[in-house]
Amino acid sequence: FPQLRSLNLSANRLRELGPGLARAAPQLQELLLSGNRLRALPGGLLPPAGPAAPFPLLSRLDAADNEVEELGADIAALPALKSLDVANNQLRELPAALADCPRLKEANFRGNQLRDKRLEKMVNGCQTKAVLEYLRAGGRGKGKAESAREEVRKKKREKQQKKDSGDGEQDEVEEASKLLVKVLHVSENPAPLVVKVSPGVKDVRAFIVCCVLKGVNLKPGNALKRFLSIQTKLHEDICEKRTVATIATHDLQLVKAPLTYDVQPPDELKIVPLGRKEIKAKDLLRQLQLEAEEQRKQKKRQNISGLHKYLQLLDGKDNYPCLLDAEGAVISFPPITNSEKTKIRKETRDLFLEVTSDTSLQICKDVMDTLILKIAELNRSTLENKEGSGSDTESDALCGPGNSNLPLVVEQVRVVDTDGNLKVLYPSKTDLATVASLLTVIR
């Protein structure tokens, strides 16, 4: 496959990959292997050393949710690797050679029982750069690591001295200025939301993560428009044009619980899409395809815009995924659209957030982390700038500049199977770690 750029082998039962792929697809930039049974990485994927480096353009390698016990030092032989995901495997150690990956910027090692407990804490709460620096220094118990720890202790002492002398006020100001999010645990919530997952989604779109976010202010100025823009940008960037994950946001007051994540045939699934009348899923897709062709003819261009460019993500599916409310109405049809029934409006204060994927659970969580951060940033900006809301109600007065650092409340949502067994709880203790440097989480 000399022109192949992206290969998705996720959610199969692969136990190993041979070196033939490196020879057959020299232009590969993205390799997705999550949800298999791989035990070693790169394993036999890389051919013996030769005149040319294998996978010279491979920038993303995703092998989350496998059985990887060994991450080989030859991972450093991938010269263009920028993103590595080996979350939820069986790794006990991380090779120091990871620090030699010249372009590695994002790495996810969470969900592995590492022998080095300090390193395990770091991978759950620190940025990739800090983890790689630790590995470069030699890891726990090595001479270089000891000197690195001494350097950390030295900085702490200096920080304490500055604080004692009054110079530490800057640090306190920086900490106080961080965005605040408070987690409301299921045990503290008198009416926690639950999403039940049907077995059929496993073969269609297996992963879903949900939560409730309370205290959002979308009334002032163009806050709602910016909120919708955030989703569009996340779909383009971290969701990779919806190919790895899809976001749906709902007005919590319009969501009738309990919810069910299920699948339905294209000719049975009915939804009232945003800005449209009720329609069957198969008719909606046909309508969108016709619109796409008409747009192309009118504008004489190759690219497809809007919802139309996501249609191919459902090619070959016998059933389509959907989120149903207590009345059996479809409020979400990923990865295409959600429903007019739960549409976000300027008056919306509380949100129900949903992220789905057919790639991995960890991707859903990472996207949700980023979504909450972006909404918190928008909320802070809206409240501080008071974008001409012109409101004089008591509830809006509480959200003035003097209260701009009030925390948003994130309510945990449980995702369970049909027997009530827990599948996912978000946010858990380890969630929101990817945005910890910008967000203060009160748990």
Side-chain angles (χ1 to χ4, degrees):
F1 313 102
Q3 303 301 319
L4 187 66
R5 298 288 193 274
S6 177
L7 179 61
N8 187 351
L9 298 173
S10 301
N12 287 285
R13 298 182 180 179
L14 299 174
R15 295 185 182 275
E16 60 181 342
L17 288 168
L21 181 59
R23 291 189 288 265
Q27 302 295 312
L28 200 65
Q29 298 175 12
E30 180 182 70
L31 180 56
L32 309 180
L33 304 170
S34 64
N36 282 289
R37 297 178 181 176
L38 301 175
R39 293 184 178 274
L41 192 78
L45 186 61
L46 302 182
F55 297 118
L57 302 178
L58 187 68
S59 62
R60 180 185 174 200
L61 179 56
D62 182 353
D65 302 299
N66 274 274
E67 301 171 7
V68 177
E69 298 174 347
E70 179 188 358
L71 188 58
D74 46 355
I75 193 80
L78 299 172
L81 188 65
K82 293 181 180 178
S83 174
L84 174 66
D85 189 348
V86 286
N88 304 319
N89 277 282
Q90 298 172 20
L91 291 171
R92 301 288 286 158
E93 296 179 350
L94 298 180
L98 276 169
D100 298 327
C101 291
R103 297 191 178 182
L104 189 60
K105 294 287 187 283
E106 298 176 7
N108 185 1
F109 305 112
R110 291 194 292 275
N112 288 287
Q113 308 251 327
L114 301 176
R115 288 193 181 93
D116 185 337
K117 295 306 173 186
R118 183 182 178 200
L119 180 58
E120 187 172 321
K121 286 183 179 179
M122 290 183 71
V123 302
N124 286 327
C126 297
Q127 294 183 349
T128 300
K129 183 178 179 181
V131 173
L132 297 182
E133 286 293 337
Y134 181 76
L135 293 172
R136 184 177 289 112
R140 188 173 186 173
K142 305 291 176 67
K144 289 182 179 179
E146 187 57 40
S147 63
R149 285 197 291 274
E150 180 55 37
E151 184 67 25
V152 171
R153 286 194 288 266
K154 181 181 176 183
K155 287 182 179 179
K156 282 186 177 179
R157 286 196 299 269
E158 290 174 351
K159 184 177 178 180
Q160 186 61 43
Q161 288 170 358
K162 284 183 180 179
K163 190 173 181 180
D164 293 342
S165 65
D167 293 335
E169 292 181 5
Q170 180 65 30
D171 294 329
E172 292 180 1
V173 169
E174 288 178 4
E175 184 64 28
S177 67
K178 286 174 71 173
L179 298 157
L180 293 178
V181 167
K182 185 181 187 310
V183 175
L184 181 66
H185 297 267
V186 168
S187 58
E188 304 167 335
N189 192 345
L193 201 59
V194 177
V195 177
K196 186 177 289 186
V197 175
S198 299
V201 303
K202 184 178 180 182
D203 300 320
V204 179
R205 195 175 186 85
F207 306 103
I208 183 169
V209 168
C210 304
C211 71
V212 167
L213 189 63
K214 291 190 170 182
V216 177
N217 185 10
L218 299 174
K219 277 189 178 181
N222 63 352
L224 178 58
K225 184 177 179 181
R226 289 166 60 196
F227 172 79
L228 299 174
S229 177
I230 284 171
Q231 293 179 71
T232 301
K233 288 179 181 176
L234 291 178
H235 275 144
E236 289 295 312
D237 298 334
I238 191 172
C239 296
E240 299 186 23
K241 302 185 186 298
R242 303 198 194 194
T243 56
V244 298
T246 305
I247 298 165
T249 56
H250 309 266
D251 186 329
L252 180 66
Q253 301 303 317
L254 304 175
V255 173
K256 297 186 178 180
L259 302 175
T260 304
Y261 185 48
D262 202 354
V263 293
Q264 292 184 1
D267 57 349
E268 293 181 17
L269 195 161
K270 292 182 180 180
I271 186 171
V272 181
L274 292 169
R276 298 172 185 258
K277 296 180 179 179
E278 185 178 70
I279 190 172
K280 289 183 179 180
K282 69 171 185 177
D283 296 330
L284 174 62
L285 263 62
R286 188 183 303 116
Q287 191 177 98
L288 291 171
Q289 285 165 346
L290 292 173
E291 289 175 7
E293 286 302 315
E294 188 62 30
Q295 279 187 16
R296 266 208 292 239
K297 289 176 183 177
Q298 288 180 357
K299 299 184 178 180
K300 297 180 181 179
R301 64 183 185 185
Q302 296 298 316
N303 296 331
I304 303 173
S305 62
L307 289 177
H308 313 96
K309 59 186 174 183
Y310 306 120
L311 300 179
Q312 78 281 359
L313 299 177
L314 290 173
D315 286 351
K317 303 284 188 186
D318 294 327
N319 289 300
Y320 290 163
C322 56
L323 189 64
L324 305 161
D325 67 8
E327 298 175 339
V330 175
I331 64 170
S332 178
F333 170 29
I336 303 300
T337 184
N338 47 314
S339 172
E340 185 76 18
K341 183 177 182 181
T342 56
K343 181 180 178 179
I344 305 287
R345 294 170 173 81
K346 274 183 172 287
E347 295 74 24
T348 300
R349 298 282 298 179
D350 304 329
L351 307 175
F352 174 66
L353 306 179
E354 155 211 344
V355 178
T356 60
S357 172
D358 62 358
T359 305
S360 83
L361 178 63
Q362 191 59 51
I363 285 174
C364 289
K365 291 189 168 193
D366 290 346
V367 170
M368 187 69 86
D369 286 359
T370 307
L371 176 62
I372 290 173
L373 171 64
K374 294 299 181 184
I375 295 175
E377 289 175 344
L378 171 63
N379 217 47
R380 162 75 70 84
S381 172
T382 300
L383 295 175
E384 286 182 345
N385 296 332
K386 233 179 146 183
E387 298 176 353
S389 69
S391 173
D392 57 359
T393 65
E394 182 180 350
S395 61
D396 288 326
L398 289 173
C399 298
N403 293 280
S404 62
N405 210 27
L406 286 174
L408 288 170
V409 176
V410 185
E411 291 185 6
Q412 290 181 322
V413 170
R414 297 169 67 243
V415 175
V416 301
D417 62 19
T418 49
D419 296 323
N421 300 313
L422 182 66
K423 291 174 69 68
V424 188
L425 175 69
Y426 183 93
S428 66
K429 290 181 180 178
T430 57
D431 294 325
L432 294 169
T434 57
V435 293
S437 62
L438 299 169
L439 205 62
T440 296
V441 182
I442 306 169
R443 299 186 186 273

